[in-house]
Amino acid sequence: MHQDIGLKLSRVPRLWRAILDERLAPLELTQTRWVTLYHLSKMGDGQPQCDLARSIGVEAPSLVRTLDQLTEQGLIERRPSDEDRRTKRVYLTDKATPLLKKIETVVEQARIEMIEGLSDDDVDQLDAILTRIEQNGQRLLSRAPCDDE
């Protein structure tokens, strides 16, 4: 029984992203772009590229291309850090605000539908369990230094 947990833990995020991809397709956003915008909006403006990449679960160099595309679309700006000029910080532009509201609406509706049939207590317990599993996983990974590009 416990052997299937890993498979389920890997399938649920794929289902979640597939549903969101389908629903966000009319906004002409690729998965990497909407995920990046969404994470930045949740983390707050001025995030170092490295921290944003870590939050998304990708390597910093992999995020650079997506940030370039979002910059070209006028949805983000990258600025050097005041503390360390080698570090780039990422900021949302005013143009991103209405798009983020649409993304938020789609994400919220999908969330409601995905947890349909679960009580508030079930959701609280699921959240606590997933948090514990995530913390355990993070402890297992070594945190390598991240170079911004």
Side-chain angles (χ1 to χ4, degrees), residues 10-11 30 37 47 74 76 81 89 97 100 114 135 139:
S10 68
R11 281 196 308 254
T30 64
L37 288 172
Q47 293 300 315
I76 65 156
S81 169
R89 294 190 174 270
T97 302
L100 282 163
M114 286 286 289
Q135 289 168 345
R139 226 180 16 256

Side-chain angles (χ1 to χ4, degrees), residues 53-112:
R54 207 174 272 130
S55 171
I56 295 168
V58 299
E59 297 293 325
S62 300
L63 183 62
V64 171
R65 181 172 178 218
T66 300
L67 294 177
D68 287 343
Q69 293 165 342
L70 290 170
T71 300
E72 288 172 18
Q73 286 182 277
L75 299 172
I76 65 156
E77 293 177 356
R78 284 182 282 185
R79 302 178 205 151
S81 169
D82 291 338
E83 299 84 36
D84 181 353
R85 294 299 221 178
R86 295 170 296 174
T87 299
K88 297 240 173 51
R89 294 190 174 270
V90 184
Y91 296 83
L92 294 166
T93 65
D94 290 340
K95 184 178 177 182
T97 302
L99 188 59
L100 282 163
K101 287 180 183 174
K102 291 177 186 175
I103 292 170
E104 185 69 39
T105 299
V106 169
V107 168
E108 178 62 17
Q109 183 58 41
R111 186 191 67 75
I112 289 167

